[in-house]
Amino acid sequence: MTAHEQIISLTERMGDSIIGQKHVIERLVIGLLANGNLLLEGLPGLAKTRAVKAMSTNLEADFSRIQFTPDLLPSDVTGTEVYHQSGGTAEFRFEPGPIFANIVLADEINRAPAKVQAALLEAMEERQVTVAGTTHKMPPLFIVMATQNPIEQEGTYPLPEAQMDRFLMKVVIEYPPVEDEVEVIRLVRGEEQRKNAPKKDGGDKPVMIPQEAVFQARAEIGQIHVAEAIDRYIADIVQATRTPGVLDADLARWIEIGASPRASLGLDKSSRAHAWLKQRDYVDPEDVRAIATDVLRHRIALSYEAQGDGMTSEQVIDRILTLVALP
C-alpha cells in the first residue's frame, strides 16, 4: 500500500469508532501529517478523548494520557532525576515522564496551573525536554493533542495566548445531529456486547498503520507545489487580522490582536497536507480556505465591541475570507 492509501485507511478506521465527526477526524490526521499539535475544544461527552484514542489504537505508536489536575506538577509531565543506590555506588538517573510518547493526550489541559502548562512548551515547540540541565529528545513521531471544556471556568486556568499559539489548530467539536446520535448509541451498545461476549481464539486483529507511512506522507507533502500567488494569499489573510481597518471598518472594531507569523506557517503546512489528502500535487485556494478557521480561531483576540455585537471568531474569520481577494 502507498502512504496515501495507508493514511486513508487510518482515517476510515477512526471513522468506524467516531460517528459523524468527519471534520474532527480529518483535522486530527492533518495535524499528524503536518507535524503539529492540536487543541480540541468541546462540551463533555463529545468524543474528544475517544477521537485521539481512535488514532493511537490504529497507528503503530506509543500512546500516553495525562489527566491534568490542579495538583499536577511539571515533573509529573516531563519526568525527573531519581537517586539510585546499588552495589556501593549511587547516581542520579532520569526517569522519563508520560510526555515521552508518540501521541500524548493532554486531557483537560486548562485544569492545571500555568507552570504545568508551561512544561509542555519546550516539548511542543522544540521536540525536546530539559531536566536538571540535560536535554532529552522526543521520539521522531511526536504530537500533543490537548482537550478542554469551553463552559467550565471555575477551578480552571485559561491557556495564555503564547501557549495557544503553539497549537497548529484549534478544533471545535459540536453536538452531533440526531441521526448520528442514534448511530452512536448502536455503536457503543455493540462494543459492550462484544466486550462481554465469550472470548474466541484466533480472532484476527487488523494490521496497525506503521509510523513509516506517516514519515513517507510527510516527505510527499514536502514536495507539494505552492505557487507564489498562494504564498501571497496566505500572507494577505494573516495580514488582514493585523490591519483589519484596511479591509473593513467593522473588522477594525472587532479584532483587538491579530495572528502571529505562526499562523502563516500553520496555513502553509496544513493546506499542503489538505491538498495531499485530496490527491493533488499543488495547493489550491480552497485548501487554504478549508483549514483557515481552525488555524486562526485561537490566534486572534476579539474586542469587547465584537463580543457586544455577538460576533464569534469563526464569523470574523469568514468575513476576512470574504474580503481578501482570491489569487
Side-chain angles (χ1 to χ4, degrees):
M1 295 176 68
T2 65
H4 188 272
E5 291 171 339
Q6 289 177 311
I7 297 301
I8 294 301
S9 175
L10 172 63
T11 303
E12 291 172 348
R13 293 187 195 182
M14 292 174 64
D16 292 338
S17 300
I18 309 297
I19 302 297
Q21 298 285 8
K22 292 182 180 180
H23 172 84
V24 175
I25 293 172
E26 183 182 63
R27 294 307 181 265
L28 289 177
V29 171
I30 288 176
L32 178 69
L33 298 178
N35 195 21
N37 308 293
L38 269 64
L39 178 62
L40 306 180
E41 184 176 277
L43 297 171
L46 294 186
K48 300 184 295 297
T49 301
R50 185 184 178 95
V52 179
K53 284 186 174 180
M55 173 177 284
S56 66
T57 54
N58 290 291
L59 188 63
E60 195 179 75
D62 293 329
F63 173 72
S64 178
R65 174 179 177 175
I66 309 172
Q67 186 66 50
F68 279 63
T69 56
D71 61 346
L72 202 67
L73 298 174
S75 58
D76 295 330
V77 175
T78 61
T80 187
E81 295 278 335
V82 178
Y83 187 70
H84 286 268
Q85 226 176 356
S86 63
T89 61
E91 62 177 348
F92 281 98
R93 297 178 191 166
F94 176 67
E95 295 290 342
I99 192 69
F100 287 89
N102 300 123
I103 299 176
V104 179
L105 171 60
D107 215 358
E108 296 187 289
I109 189 174
N110 57 334
R111 291 198 177 277
K115 63 181 179 181
V116 181
Q117 296 173 3
L120 289 171
L121 291 181
E122 186 180 11
M124 290 170 59
E125 187 72 10
E126 302 175 32
R127 300 299 195 267
Q128 65 183 31
V129 167
T130 302
V131 177
T134 303
T135 298
H136 306 272
K137 295 291 185 181
M138 311 309 293
L141 179 64
F142 175 76
I143 181 173
V144 173
M145 296 186 179
T147 70
Q148 67 177 14
N149 183 340
I151 60 169
E152 291 186 1
Q153 301 304 323
E154 185 176 351
T156 63
Y157 304 82
L159 292 170
E161 286 77 7
Q163 185 163 346
M164 292 279 282
D165 203 28
R166 259 73 170 190
F167 289 99
L168 176 68
M169 288 186 286
K170 178 182 177 181
V171 183
V172 174
I173 305 178
E174 299 177 345
Y175 284 126
V178 65
E179 295 82 4
D180 289 340
E181 191 138 3
V182 171
E183 292 300 318
V184 170
I185 294 171
R186 293 170 178 168
L187 172 67
V188 175
R189 182 193 300 144
E191 290 176 345
E192 291 177 351
Q193 291 172 346
R194 288 191 294 273
K195 182 178 180 180
N196 296 326
K199 304 297 181 184
K200 295 181 180 180
D201 296 333
D204 293 332
K205 293 184 178 180
V207 179
M208 305 283 276
I209 305 298
Q211 291 188 23
E212 187 56 38
V214 177
F215 298 136
Q216 180 60 39
R218 289 177 179 176
E220 293 176 8
I221 290 169
Q223 301 301 315
I224 295 287
H225 175 70
V226 184
E228 291 183 12
I230 297 295
D231 287 339
R232 182 56 189 260
Y233 182 54
I234 290 173
D236 285 344
I237 291 174
V238 176
Q239 185 65 25
T241 69
R242 302 169 189 163
T243 57
V246 175
L247 292 179
D248 184 70
D250 284 334
L251 283 176
R253 292 191 304 109
W254 294 335
I255 299 178
E256 186 170 332
I257 302 174
S260 75
R262 282 198 186 98
S264 301
L265 300 176
L267 284 170
D268 172 55
K269 292 193 293 185
S270 300
S271 60
R272 283 188 282 121
H274 188 273
W276 183 85
L277 285 173
K278 302 302 181 184
Q279 290 188 287
R280 281 187 276 103
D281 60 358
Y282 63 92
V283 174
D284 186 89
E286 285 307 311
D287 295 314
V288 180
R289 295 170 67 88
I291 50 86
T293 300
D294 296 303
V295 173
L296 293 174
R297 63 159 52 98
H298 59 297
R299 290 187 164 98
I300 61 174
L302 300 186
S303 65
Y304 288 113
E305 289 185 77
Q307 298 174 35
D309 291 345
M311 298 298 294
T312 64
S313 298
E314 290 79 7
Q315 291 172 319
V316 172
I317 294 167
D318 286 343
R319 183 74 164 264
I320 291 173
L321 294 177
T322 301
L323 295 174
V324 173
L326 286 167

